[in-house]
């Protein structure tokens, strides 16, 4: 709904007195992010097989819920994904991910985000008639104008919106590259990865058996 919120905000400002509009047109729509915890390293360039092998060797018991929650926030997961009652909404809701995905599928989604890109969350590549391209989420089609949000971490911020006239568009196609950057979890060490996996599979539930000591 962030695109609709941004559009409503623009409409409200357009009808507001000048004294109200001054300094607000370019103000950031999204609330400032809470202080983000640092990833717990030393990290490395993780492959899919490595966290899967760790999970198989160490098991899913005795994990640290608090650290799993921190590691969900540290590599920007919470900026785009909702889990439980917290997180952003520009990416898929991960609350039930543990009921449909195992350790391997979760590791692939984190480490190789472009392997499977949901149509619902895919970026669009808009090619102008001069050959230049704009890549991002199409958030509005208003008359003869297409608005594209180019910052996946802040879709509602007008500073990241590009307006393109429909008469200037040569074509549109879905991007095969995920809006989620690869390598976000490369700052995590083995224990942090295992706690992140347990946190994701639990749906953010501190009472999950994985966190029993």
């Amino acid at each position: 709904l962030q695109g609709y919120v941004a559009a409503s905000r623009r409409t409200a400002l357009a009808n507001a007195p000048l004294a109200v509009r001054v300094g607000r047109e370019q103000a950031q729509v999204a609330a400032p992010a809470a202080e983000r915890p640092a990833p717990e390293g030393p990290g490395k360039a993780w492959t899919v097989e490595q966290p899967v092998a760790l999970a198989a060797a160490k098991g899913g018991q005795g994990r640290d819920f608090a650290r799993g929650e921190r590691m969900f926030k540290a590599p920007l997961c919470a900026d785009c994904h909702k889990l439980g009652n917290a997180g952003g909404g520009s990416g898929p809701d991960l609350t039930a991910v543990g009921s449909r995905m195992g350790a391997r599928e979760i590791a692939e989604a984190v480490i190789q985000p472009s392997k499977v890109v949901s149509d619902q969350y895919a970026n669009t590549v808009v090619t102008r008639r001069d050959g230049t391209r704009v890549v991002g989420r199409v958030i509005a089609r208003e008359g003869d104008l297409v608005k594209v949000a180019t910052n996946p971490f802040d879709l509602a911020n007008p500073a990241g919106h590009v307006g393109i006239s429909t008469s200037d568009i040569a074509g549109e196609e879905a991007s095969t590259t995920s809006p989620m950057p690869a390598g976000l979890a490369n700052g995590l060490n083995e224990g942090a990865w295992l706690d992140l996996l347990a946190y994701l599979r639990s749906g953010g539930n501190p009472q999950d058996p994985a966190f029993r000591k």
Side-chain angles (χ1 to χ4, degrees):
L1 298 177
Q2 290 180 346
Y4 293 101
V5 172
S8 297
R9 182 178 185 277
R10 289 193 297 271
T11 301
L13 284 173
N15 291 282
L18 178 61
V20 174
R21 295 202 309 268
V22 171
R24 296 194 182 187
E25 282 90 345
Q26 298 302 320
Q28 184 170 324
V29 173
E35 184 176 350
R36 184 177 294 111
E40 295 188 17
K44 62 181 178 181
W46 287 90
T47 66
V48 172
E49 296 298 333
Q50 290 169 334
V52 173
L54 271 176
K58 303 283 187 178
Q61 301 295 317
R63 302 317 312 169
D64 186 330
F65 175 85
R67 182 162 69 166
E69 185 177 36
R70 292 197 304 273
M71 295 307 98
F72 182 68
K73 297 175 180 177
L76 306 177
C77 303
D79 286 36
C80 296
H81 298 282
K82 182 180 179 183
L83 195 149
N85 295 319
S90 61
D93 189 325
L94 302 182
T95 303
V97 70
S99 65
R100 64 179 189 272
M101 297 173 69
R104 174 175 294 277
E105 291 78 14
I106 293 175
E108 284 182 346
V110 174
I111 296 171
Q112 300 175 341
S114 294
K115 184 174 181 178
V116 178
V117 182
S118 167
D119 293 341
Q120 184 178 356
Y121 298 99
N123 277 337
T124 298
V125 181
V126 181
T127 303
R128 297 189 179 98
R129 295 191 181 278
D130 64 3
T132 59
R133 302 191 305 169
V134 177
V135 181
R137 184 82 59 86
V138 174
I139 58 167
R141 297 181 186 273
E142 301 171 349
D144 64 348
L145 192 67
V146 175
K147 293 195 174 182
V148 182
T150 58
N151 181 359
F153 296 108
D154 194 1
L155 296 179
N157 188 350
H161 294 174
V162 177
I164 309 170
S165 173
T166 54
S167 62
D168 192 32
I169 295 177
E172 299 182 30
E173 60 181 343
S175 174
T176 58
T177 301
S178 173
M180 174 180 165
L184 289 180
N186 282 351
L188 305 185
N189 60 30
E190 293 184 357
W193 240 113
L194 288 172
D195 289 337
L196 173 60
L197 277 175
Y199 182 75
L200 289 170
R201 298 181 76 177
S202 76
N205 176 17
Q207 305 304 319
D208 189 87
F211 304 115
R212 293 174 186 166
K213 300 299 184 181

PDB file of all heavy atoms in Angstrom, residues 52 88 98 142:
ATOM      1  N   VAL A  52      23.401 -24.801   4.893  1.00  0.00           N
ATOM      2  CA  VAL A  52      22.608 -26.035   4.912  1.00  0.00           C
ATOM      3  C   VAL A  52      23.371 -27.120   5.656  1.00  0.00           C
ATOM      4  O   VAL A  52      22.816 -27.842   6.500  1.00  0.00           O
ATOM      5  CB  VAL A  52      22.277 -26.491   3.476  1.00  0.00           C
ATOM      6  CG1 VAL A  52      21.598 -27.860   3.499  1.00  0.00           C
ATOM      7  CG2 VAL A  52      21.378 -25.475   2.791  1.00  0.00           C
ATOM      8  N   GLY A  88       9.093  -4.473   7.149  1.00  0.00           N
ATOM      9  CA  GLY A  88       8.569  -3.670   6.052  1.00  0.00           C
ATOM     10  C   GLY A  88       7.614  -4.445   5.171  1.00  0.00           C
ATOM     11  O   GLY A  88       7.353  -5.633   5.382  1.00  0.00           O
ATOM     12  N   GLY A  98       8.622 -20.729   7.374  1.00  0.00           N
ATOM     13  CA  GLY A  98       9.084 -21.987   7.942  1.00  0.00           C
ATOM     14  C   GLY A  98       8.154 -23.150   7.671  1.00  0.00           C
ATOM     15  O   GLY A  98       8.576 -24.310   7.711  1.00  0.00           O
ATOM     16  N   GLU A 142      -0.646   7.403 -13.651  1.00  0.00           N
ATOM     17  CA  GLU A 142      -1.536   8.559 -13.479  1.00  0.00           C
ATOM     18  C   GLU A 142      -1.636   9.294 -14.808  1.00  0.00           C
ATOM     19  O   GLU A 142      -0.720  10.024 -15.194  1.00  0.00           O
ATOM     20  CB  GLU A 142      -1.004   9.485 -12.382  1.00  0.00           C
ATOM     21  CG  GLU A 142      -0.861   8.795 -11.021  1.00  0.00           C
ATOM     22  CD  GLU A 142      -0.137   9.659  -9.995  1.00  0.00           C
ATOM     23  OE1 GLU A 142       0.424  10.694 -10.395  1.00  0.00           O
ATOM     24  OE2 GLU A 142      -0.140   9.285  -8.804  1.00  0.00           O
TER      25      GLU A 142
END
